Amino acid sequence: GCWGRGGAGCGLAVITETGKVVALKGDKVWVQTIRTSACQSCAARNGCGQKVLAAASGGRANQILVTNSVNARVGDEVTIGIDEQALLGASILVYAIPLILMVVASILGHQMSGGSDGAAMLAAVAGLALGFFAGRKLQDAGGKEYEPRLVRVSRIASENCL
């Protein structure tokens, strides 16, 4: 079936990433992903979630808290994913809205002050802050739409080994 507001079952792209469950927290799990050096030579690098997450973390280990929808346990290798459109929407909320409000506020501050650069700079800072606040509120209103989800778990059958 569909995943969220359009996912793998709906024909829309889902960006996936593999990681390892490092801790449980109630009905959620902490998943750690680490950038591999293979990203630079991989043929799928343009469509791979590993590169997206690694770029955001600067290549360091990255931990993310996600709802444990697949009954994962500590040590399990899991795949997490996010709908490509949700990632795009979250990016707009985080980057575009604050920048647009900063520019608009700067122009308004400049115009309303009779051309004062100081007023334009103060208005720009206020617009940027308002943009971050508005983006956060809109993201919270979106609920779980912008959250990554556990897609599957890959357990190694080592439980019976001595």
Side-chain angles (χ1 to χ4, degrees):
C2 289
W3 180 58
R5 289 181 59 180
C10 297
L12 296 177
V14 174
I15 298 171
T16 61
E17 172 64 274
T18 58
K20 185 176 184 177
V21 175
V22 293
L24 301 173
K25 183 179 181 182
D27 65 339
K28 296 181 182 270
V29 291
W30 283 101
V31 178
Q32 181 173 342
T33 62
I34 301 174
R35 180 179 183 174
T36 62
S37 59
C39 288
Q40 302 308 320
S41 60
C42 176
R45 68 179 170 262
N46 292 332
C48 177
Q50 178 79 12
K51 184 176 180 186
V52 173
L53 289 176
S57 68
R60 300 177 305 274
N62 189 25
Q63 288 190 358
I64 186 167
L65 185 64
V66 295
T67 301
N68 191 1
S69 58
V70 294
N71 297 318
R73 301 183 298 242
V74 174
D76 286 346
E77 183 177 306
V78 294
T79 301
I80 57 175
I82 188 167
D83 178 54
E84 197 172 72
Q85 293 299 316
L87 183 62
L88 179 61
S91 298
I92 289 171
L93 290 178
V94 170
Y95 297 109
I97 290 176
L99 289 175
I100 290 168
L101 287 179
M102 180 183 78
V103 170
V104 169
S106 175
I107 292 169
L108 288 174
H110 189 264
Q111 295 296 323
M112 293 174 70
S113 69
S116 168
D117 288 342
M121 289 189 310
L122 286 175
V125 170
L128 186 64
L130 178 65
F132 284 131
F133 180 75
R136 182 64 179 199
K137 289 298 178 186
L138 289 169
Q139 189 174 14
D140 288 346
K144 297 186 180 280
E145 175 183 356
Y146 301 116
E147 291 181 11
R149 292 170 173 75
L150 284 180
V151 178
R152 63 184 161 270
V153 62
S154 304
R155 287 198 179 100
I156 299 173
S158 61
E159 297 165 349
N160 298 329
C161 296
L162 296 176

